Amino acid sequence: MPDPMLNEEERMLQNLVRDFADREMAPRAREVDEKEEFDQQNWQGMARLGITGISIAPQYGGSGGGYRQLAIAAEEIARGDAAASTGLIAHLSLGTTTIYRFGNEEQKQRFIPSLASGRGVAAWALTEPGGGSDAAALQTSAVQRDGTWFLNGSKMFITNADVAESMVVFATQDREQGYKGISAFVVPRGAPGMQVNPMHGKMGMRASSTSEVVFQDTPVPAENLLGEEGRGFRYAMEVLDSSRITIAAQCVGIGQAALEEAVRYAQQRESFGRPIAQHQAIQFMLADMAAAVHAARTTTMQAATLKDEGRPFINEASIAKLIASEMCVNVTSQAVQVHGGYGYFKDAPVERLFRDARVTTIYEGTSQVQRLLIARQTLAQYPV
Ligand SMILES: Cc1cc2nc3c(=O)[nH]c(=O)nc-3n(C[C@H](O)[C@H](O)[C@H](O)COP(=O)(O)OP(=O)(O)OC[C@H]3O[C@@H](n4cnc5c(N)ncnc54)[C@H](O)[C@@H]3O)c2cc1C
């Protein structure tokens, strides 16, 4: 059923991406999950549709959309193959967006056209082995010698790192200064002293690649410093604020896929002489799932609309990420329940959706971190 909240152009985009995801991604989702690596075929397909630069202006090789378009595309890609949407989000709403928002004109011309067109992939490296939630405590150092920066330290759980053409890396010039000592750099593929160690054994999102990245005296030219020295932490937080909208959209896509699988199965499977969809207990489960997906989608699109209109959106983005990620963990679990024993085996797509969903309450700010942010805003809204 067409979504009444989308305009004609947005509906065309939704149909285009859904058709691609149904034809080319969903049928291969199980196979790429088992391979456990970045899938080039999915990537090339997204690049052909212009999705790899959907929120980037045409003058830098993008499609010129906003966060509503990005959210629509992220939901449909996630509905077809959640892991592909993880790669897309790390590339576009984290890596490429940081350069797009905070790079100077020369940097944007140098890096973005290749990334937006999908010829190159971006990665974004903030988290370290010592912690992700407390990002201001990062330890990777940046020291300037003779006009060149040298990075030392390591990053953990970095999506796309093994295939990235450009990686945005956050490092500190002075740990004593806390978040004020952090700057952002673009590190090109194959930089000397940079070692990318792919990490295997993820529970879900297995067709997205995740790596540890180690820097040993890695030289970064002065012209690859993004924005101003000492403002990198603020850039990272601003980019995360808006990227949460795309993670929320990803969760809606996973929830929608689980709901569709559950509805289909409930109409085919029989118990006590009738399809299980005729048992009220199953109907109530499907109703709860449909209502939760709908509420998460509405909240996500509201945050995207506020962002596109230049209105305050940060609290709404955190609320959308919290609601949508917890929805997606619950809805995929309910979808497994509707499938009974068959839902526990790999032949059922809900088995993969259940595993893929789990990370969404962890990355780009855990549910606990979202609650901290929402609580801060809520307390400020109602001062005594
Ligand atoms: C598949 C995957 C892909 C990822 N991709 C990227 C990427 O591309 N780039 C990148 O930079 N990072 C990436 N990450 C890292 C991710 O963002 C972090 O895992 C996340 O921020 C949590 O950090 P942590 O794992 O160090 O957990 P910790 O920060 O150690 O947290 C552990 C637990 O303590 C809780 N906690 C921490 N502090 C508080 C507090 N103050 N109050 C209450 N509870 C608290 C957390 O909510 C969590 O439950 C990825 C992670 C995964 C799993």
Side-chain angles (χ1 to χ4, degrees), residues 124-127 131-133 157-159 202 210 359 362-364 366 368 372:
W124 193 83
L126 178 68
T127 305
S133 303
F157 306 133
I158 307 307
T159 302
K202 287 202 296 289
T210 313
V359 76
I362 297 172
Y363 59 22
E364 294 214 22
T366 64
Q368 288 71 36
L372 287 175

Side-chain angles (χ1 to χ4, degrees), residues 11 23 30 47 59 63 75 97 124 145 163 165 192 194 207 214 224 229 276 278 292 313 323 345 350 375:
R11 224 170 281 152
R23 268 188 303 107
R30 177 177 167 183
Q59 70 198 95
S63 311
E75 177 185 332
T97 294
W124 193 83
R145 288 198 302 265
V163 289
E165 175 182 271
M194 176 171 78
V214 180
N224 284 18
E229 279 179 40
I276 59 170
Q278 288 181 20
F313 72 95
I323 288 180
F345 283 82
V350 291

Side-chain angles (χ1 to χ4, degrees), residues 46-311:
M46 291 192 284
R48 268 198 313 277
L49 291 184
I51 297 171
T52 50
I54 196 164
S55 51
I56 303 293
Q59 70 198 95
Y60 302 108
S63 311
Y67 275 76
R68 281 181 66 89
Q69 283 78 10
L70 180 51
I72 291 165
E75 177 185 332
E76 295 306 327
I77 294 295
R79 179 177 159 274
D81 184 340
S85 67
T86 292
L88 173 70
I89 290 168
H91 157 82
L92 181 53
S93 60
L94 291 178
T96 306
T97 294
T98 307
I99 305 172
Y100 184 56
R101 300 245 313 257
F102 303 108
N104 59 32
E105 191 53 35
E106 183 278 324
Q107 290 169 329
K108 291 201 255 190
Q109 296 287 355
R110 182 154 49 105
F111 296 116
I112 295 186
S114 165
L115 299 173
S117 67
R119 288 194 303 281
V121 179
W124 193 83
L126 178 68
T127 305
E128 300 196 344
S133 303
D134 186 9
L138 65 80
Q139 298 290 305
T140 297
S141 66
V143 174
Q144 203 173 21
R145 288 198 302 265
D146 303 326
T148 299
W149 293 94
F150 290 87
L151 303 188
N152 280 285
S154 48
K155 297 289 176 180
M156 192 53 106
F157 306 133
I158 307 307
T159 302
N160 296 341
D162 59 342
V163 289
E165 175 182 271
S166 300
M167 188 185 308
V168 174
V169 178
F170 297 88
T172 178
Q173 289 158 256
D174 183 358
R175 291 182 191 126
E176 297 294 304
Q177 284 196 50
Y179 76 91
K180 289 183 182 162
I182 297 172
S183 299
F185 303 87
V186 183
V187 180
R189 185 181 181 80
M194 176 171 78
Q195 200 184 323
V196 178
N197 303 319
M199 300 168 72
H200 293 291
K202 287 202 296 289
M203 179 192 296
M205 299 292 190
R206 289 158 54 98
S208 69
S209 72
T210 313
S211 303
E212 176 199 35
V213 185
V214 180
F215 302 101
Q216 278 182 314
D217 266 329
T218 299
V220 179
E223 58 269 22
N224 284 18
L225 170 79
L226 284 175
E228 292 173 36
E229 279 179 40
R231 292 191 68 84
F233 183 75
R234 290 187 183 90
Y235 301 158
M237 294 303 113
E238 276 189 44
V239 165
L240 283 173
D241 285 339
S242 47
S243 185
R244 283 183 187 130
I245 299 170
T246 56
I247 295 290
Q250 169 186 64
C251 297
V252 174
I254 297 171
Q256 178 69 33
L259 171 65
E260 290 174 28
E261 289 295 332
V263 168
R264 214 176 355 253
Y265 188 79
Q267 288 169 324
Q268 289 162 2
R269 178 73 172 172
E270 294 195 357
S271 82
F272 298 93
R274 51 188 169 146
I276 59 170
Q278 288 181 20
H279 299 305
Q280 196 181 50
I282 297 288
Q283 287 178 3
F284 279 12
M285 235 191 300
L286 296 177
D288 284 345
M289 293 162 73
V293 172
H294 180 82
R297 179 180 292 118
T298 306
T299 315
T300 302
M301 290 309 280
Q302 188 206 34
T305 305
L306 291 171
K307 164 84 183 132
D308 286 345
E309 291 177 354
R311 294 159 67 191

